[in-house]
Amino acid sequence: GAGVSQSPRYKVAKRGQDVALRCDPISGHVSLFWYQQALGQGPEFLTYFQNEAQLDKSGLPSDRFFAERPEGSVSTLKIQRTQQEDSAVYLCASSLGLGTDTQYFGPGTRLTVL
Amino acid sequence: DAKTTQPPSMDCAEGRAANLPCNHSTISGNEYVYWYRQIHSQGPQYIIHGLKNNETNEMASLIITEDRKSSTLILPHATLRDTAVYYCIVRVGGYSTLTFGKGTMLLVSP
């Protein structure tokens, strides 16, 4: 069956540009997570949705980062006025239940800010 | 969440068992041990998890010591496709996020 998909797979942005990264979770999965992975590091939590409700955004590094999941399925992570330190792989994961189930990850979007 | 300690890298010959250790000496009673792996340029992939009993699935076995302060992930017959970074994570039951460390880079060689 279809797994978690993310688009685009690669994004190059000039410093100061806004970007939008999309995540399509596994159909029917209630929970959705965003993680950021810097080069050579493990993924770090950004934010968590349960259906359309954003229950935890404690990992978002600044107010330039914004995530939404308006209809409880597809999610978008938006980064405004990108900076070089935003360069990373952004991973999306979904799980069937209320967050404690196994998380299934997408392939990630590699963002490079020049 | 409790912290974990893993060796930064390990080598294994193809066809042999790979035994990946993890120390989690400050684990609490309600924290599970999870293992994920990440093959180059892919997202992390769930392998197995357990609370205190040993667990086995089609991918691997998880051995947790009786005091729960350490665990070992066993890949019984490693293949070249098992080359990846393996993450050991302790996760509070009922809490959502995964806290990844740097993991162990397992290199399986012919």
Side-chain angles (χ1 to χ4, degrees), chain A residues 35 37 42 45 99-100 103 105-106, chain B residues 36 38 43-44 91 94 96-98 101:
Chain A
Y35 292 82
Q37 186 171 25
F45 169 76
T100 58
Q103 294 184 24
F105 284 79
Chain B
Y36 278 75
Q38 188 171 25
R91 184 188 191 197
S96 304
T97 68
L98 298 171

Side-chain angles (χ1 to χ4, degrees), chain A residues 15-94:
Chain A
R15 190 174 55 181
Q17 283 185 332
D18 298 348
V19 299
L21 312 179
R22 176 187 170 107
C23 172
D24 285 79
I26 295 172
S27 178
H29 276 199
V30 169
S31 295
L32 186 145
F33 307 80
W34 284 98
Y35 292 82
Q36 179 190 58
Q37 186 171 25
L39 189 64
Q41 305 294 317
E44 292 191 359
F45 169 76
L46 293 177
T47 188
Y48 161 56
F49 289 87
Q50 189 180 107
N51 295 307
E52 68 278 3
Q54 189 174 20
L55 297 188
D56 188 346
K57 53 182 181 179
S58 61
L60 296 176
S62 78
D63 58 7
R64 296 185 296 104
F65 287 70
F66 172 77
E68 60 182 4
R69 194 186 185 198
E71 298 179 356
S73 56
V74 172
S75 177
T76 303
L77 176 67
K78 297 179 179 178
I79 309 173
Q80 297 178 323
R81 304 181 304 280
T82 53
Q83 304 294 316
Q84 285 190 321
E85 60 264 28
D86 300 334
S87 295
V89 175
Y90 290 86
L91 294 159
C92 175
S94 69

